[in-house]
Each structure stands twice: as C-alpha cells, then as structure tokens.
Amino acid sequence: MEGLSLAPHPAVRMVHGNPVPVITDVQQVMLNGVRVAYCGCEPGRPVNFIRSFPQAFQDAIVKFVAEMVGEVSCANAPPSQDAVRRARATPRRSDERDDDNED
Amino acid sequence: MADTGNGATLACGTSGFTAAYNEIDPGALKRGRLNASHLNTTPAQGEQYIPADLVDHDEVAIEWQYNPNQRPPIDMPPETITLTLPPPSGFSNGATLSGQGFFTEFKPPKLKNNEIMVATGKISWTQRPTMANAS
C-alpha cells in the first residue's frame, strides 16, 4: 500500500533546546502523514490501531509492519460499531423457550 | 476551541491491551507547596508558599466494555502506554500523553440483567509522562 511509513513516537523532551525522544520502543505507523497505529521497534511486539479500520486495511498494515520491523505478536483495535451492535442484538439464552414443555 | 473526547484511545505497547473505552481519565498533575512564612511575614502578605520540587501525576482511570477474552496486563512489567487524544479541527494527528506505565488495578464487571458489563482499571506512570502536541 502506498503512502505507508514509520515515524518515531511523538513524545519528545526539550533538552538544551534540542528535542530528545522519550519513547524509543514504540513508533507510529503513518498513512500519508496521518497516524493510523502504533507498533514496536523490534520483532515480537503488537500493532495497536487507534480506531477501528476494515479488516483488509488492518491486514495490510500488519503486513507492512512485519516487513519493516519483524514478527507482529498481535494486532488490536477498538471494536467496530457494527460488532458492538451485533453483540447487543444477539438473543440471550433466557429468551429461548422450550415449547415442548409448555402445557 | 470546544471538542469532545470521542475518538480517544489508549494503547499498551508490549501487551497490546486495548478495549472499547467508555471513559479515560488521565488524572491530575499535582505539585505540592511549602509554607515559607516566617516571623517577619506581615499580615498583609498572609501565608507565603514556594513550589515543591517535584510534580506528581495521578493514576489514569479507565472504564471499558468488558470482553473476557481481553485481559488487562495487571501482572505485567511496565510498558510504553500512549493515550491519544482525538485530533482537533485542522489537525491530522491528535495530541498524545505517553510514558512507561503499569496497571495497578483491574476490577471485573458486575453481572446484572439488562446491564452492559463494564470493567474498570487504573494505570500508574513510572515517572511523569510526556505530552506531545497535535500535528
């Protein structure tokens, strides 16, 4: 996917007028300059999306990070609104009735 | 510029814990004060104070819609935790508050009829976190 890049974590402290990185084990995944996720700086770390994206997009990001950094331990994202709605719409066991036992 | 917290996220850099957060309370920054009054302090001056040397940052309090398959790292060592605020109008990337942190509390939800399961937790920074501006 074009436009993908890695950028240092935005947390810096000014030391004698020079920005010094504070976070050195987590970096940003950027798409055309827009932050879409955080990932580790070494293999075996997760990818954390900052919002819910389509699965195909998430897969592409994970693949990009795996190519640039190494193995991705897991990918996490906030649940989509659809997933939350589906979970709430699922009938509960107490809603099911055994009609054979009715008189 | 008025804005809401909709879109804020909290990411754990090693455990990968994330959730559908209902609320993220970053906590207050507090700096103590030392009473510097002396016998020659006048009534007109009143009590006098100087700031304490160090700023203390409260724990981050979080509340989320509980997913039993996503267990917070209550027993893991400190990791990089990044709280990302929603980007304000005209900015692509939200401000961040980040640092090394660890969970100090995890309270599973009450189980009740007609009530969404909500869990709560607290995160402590190992030292004062860093704020980065929106960009």
Side-chain angles (χ1 to χ4, degrees):
Chain A
M1 181 182 296
E2 283 189 22
L4 280 176
S5 62
L6 296 176
H9 197 284
V12 295
R13 284 227 170 98
M14 301 304 290
V15 179
H16 301 302
N18 298 311
V20 176
V22 175
I23 305 290
T24 55
D25 65 337
V26 171
Q27 56 187 332
Q28 306 177 83
V29 182
M30 314 291 277
L31 177 61
N32 298 324
V34 178
R35 180 194 305 132
V36 296
Y38 296 101
C39 70
C41 297
E42 57 187 21
R45 303 291 288 276
V47 171
N48 294 310
F49 292 93
I50 61 169
R51 62 179 57 89
S52 176
F53 294 110
Q55 191 58 50
F57 180 81
Q58 292 188 28
D59 293 343
I61 297 296
V62 170
K63 182 177 175 215
F64 169 75
V65 172
E67 288 171 356
M68 300 294 288
V69 179
E71 179 196 358
V72 173
S73 61
C74 58
N76 301 297
S80 67
Q81 290 304 310
D82 285 345
V84 173
R85 275 194 288 271
R86 278 199 301 273
R88 290 179 182 172
T90 301
R92 295 167 299 186
R93 184 167 291 183
S94 59
D95 292 342
E96 297 171 358
R97 295 180 186 188
D98 186 352
D99 292 332
D100 291 339
N101 289 337
E102 284 187 351
D103 294 329
Chain B
M1 164 172 46
D3 207 348
T4 71
N6 183 265
T9 59
L10 189 141
C12 298
T14 303
S15 65
F17 175 77
T18 190
Y21 295 105
N22 290 342
E23 181 176 304
I24 302 173
D25 182 354
L29 277 80
K30 297 176 182 172
R31 182 164 67 167
R33 58 178 187 170
L34 308 174
N35 192 314
S37 308
H38 49 79
L39 294 179
N40 290 328
T41 302
T42 66
Q45 291 173 310
E47 297 282 2
Q48 295 183 301
Y49 297 94
I50 60 173
D53 293 332
L54 302 177
V55 172
D56 187 20
H57 203 297
D58 276 351
E59 291 171 305
V60 178
I62 53 178
E63 179 188 289
W64 69 93
Q65 296 177 16
Y66 182 65
N67 179 345
N69 293 335
Q70 287 177 322
R71 186 170 169 273
I74 187 69
D75 50 1
M76 296 278 287
E79 58 183 315
T80 296
I81 293 177
T82 305
L83 168 57
T84 305
L85 279 66
S89 176
F91 292 83
S92 300
N93 304 303
T96 63
L97 180 69
S98 54
Q100 289 290 300
F102 55 96
F103 271 75
T104 58
E105 184 178 300
F106 163 50
K107 186 175 180 305
K110 292 180 185 174
L111 308 176
K112 294 180 70 173
N113 284 336
N114 302 314
E115 199 164 298
I116 293 175
M117 293 192 293
V118 171
T120 59
K122 288 185 181 176
I123 296 169
S124 174
W125 304 105
T126 58
Q127 62 183 37
R128 186 174 173 181
T130 301
M131 189 84 185
N133 291 337
S135 60

